[in-house]
Amino acid sequence: GESVGLHLPTLSVQEGDNSIINCAYSNSASDYFIWYKQESGKGPQFIIDIRSNMDKRQGQRVTVLLNKTVKHLSLQIAATQPGDSAVYFCAENPGGGADGLTFGKGTHLIIQP
Amino acid sequence: DVKVTQSSRYLVKRTGEKVFLECVQDMDHENMFWYRQDPGLGLRLIYFSYDVKMKEKGDIPEGYSVSREKKERFSLILESASTNQTSMYLCASRTQVRPLHFGNGTRLTVT
């Protein structure tokens, strides 16, 4: 996999490799973080979330890491598949449940055969 | 599964028209949101609502208004559409501090 910064909008990986998508969040008071996947023509879909009292959470083929010290969030996708091609957004929850999420600009993940 | 339904996938309107975008959710969520999504700018919050008849401005409310007469329905209104409101509009809902659930979006073109 390849580590990318928030400023790099595209990540290209070989099918079967691991992918790592990084995100920097802005608000040190944010207590909840989410990764979304958006495929062409669809709304964002929830992938995985993590609360600020944790630093790692695993799902099926995905892991989210949270580093509150440097306000950094990452999404790891294991054994990337063609169906993983999409734009991935991180989001932070700066307030309570009534407020919206603040989204990053997104990273376009491209899977090479 | 939560379902958020936006009434139109594509809309084409003329400058100056009044435009209504409708959104319905089926999970009794108290919180509903309207975002717009533009290339290079990401998702930006327009308005949100935490209860029936309640509304709050998001980051870019200018040129928009909203209506929430029933818990399951949240409408976005463009009083007088302008070309800079051409965008993808996404409705979402959630309960408490949980994930937002999004609809599939309405792509609005204002000519």
Side-chain angles (χ1 to χ4, degrees):
Chain A
E2 196 174 317
S3 178
V4 296
L6 182 60
H7 62 282
L8 190 63
T10 302
L11 173 63
S12 183
V13 298
Q14 294 286 339
E15 183 178 347
D17 284 356
N18 297 333
S19 303
I20 300 174
I21 302 171
N22 294 312
C23 177
Y25 64 92
S26 57
N27 191 332
S28 56
S30 292
D31 57 359
Y32 177 60
F33 305 88
I34 308 174
W35 280 99
Y36 284 92
K37 172 185 180 182
Q38 187 175 24
E39 297 172 288
S40 181
K42 296 184 178 180
Q45 296 173 272
F46 167 77
I47 302 173
I48 192 167
D49 57 0
I50 188 167
R51 299 196 182 270
S52 57
N53 60 353
M54 304 173 68
D55 53 21
K56 180 179 180 178
R57 190 160 186 234
Q58 288 184 287
Q60 188 175 16
R61 280 201 310 118
V62 294
T63 301
V64 56
L65 299 177
L66 174 63
N67 185 331
K68 295 181 288 293
T69 303
V70 294
K71 292 192 287 186
H72 184 268
L73 194 67
S74 69
L75 176 71
Q76 300 176 4
I77 305 174
T80 314
Q81 303 169 356
D84 294 329
S85 287
V87 177
Y88 290 82
F89 296 95
C90 64
E92 60 181 305
N93 190 88
D99 300 334
L101 299 173
T102 301
F103 286 82
K105 295 288 189 290
T107 296
H108 186 193
L109 180 64
I110 297 171
I111 312 303
Q112 304 282 359
Chain B
D1 271 356
V2 176
K3 190 165 184 183
V4 178
T5 303
Q6 294 183 232
S7 56
S8 303
R9 290 302 304 273
Y10 300 94
L11 277 179
V12 180
K13 297 291 181 181
R14 294 193 181 276
T15 301
E17 278 193 80
K18 190 169 186 175
V19 182
F20 293 86
L21 302 184
E22 307 287 347
C23 174
V24 176
Q25 51 96 3
D26 67 357
M27 282 301 291
D28 201 38
H29 286 168
E30 63 272 21
N31 304 308
M32 296 189 74
F33 306 84
W34 276 105
Y35 286 84
R36 66 178 280 178
Q37 184 175 29
D38 300 287
L41 297 176
L43 282 83
R44 294 178 291 165
L45 182 62
I46 306 171
Y47 264 98
F48 60 100
S49 168
Y50 54 89
D51 202 352
V52 175
K53 297 193 185 296
M54 305 306 291
K55 60 184 179 183
E56 296 287 341
K57 293 179 180 179
D59 300 319
I60 51 163
E62 296 79 18
Y64 303 95
S65 63
V66 290
S67 173
R68 190 149 180 221
E69 296 297 318
K70 294 185 177 182
K71 190 174 185 180
E72 67 271 18
R73 186 178 297 270
F74 193 35
S75 303
L76 180 69
I77 303 157
L78 287 66
E79 294 290 342
S80 178
S82 63
T83 54
N84 64 11
Q85 292 178 310
T86 291
S87 186
M88 170 70 85
Y89 290 89
L90 290 161
C91 176
S93 72
R94 74 167 170 178
T95 184
Q96 300 177 354
V97 183
R98 299 285 293 151
L100 285 178
H101 296 269
F102 285 89
N104 277 327
T106 296
R107 186 167 292 282
L108 173 67
T109 301
V110 183
T111 62

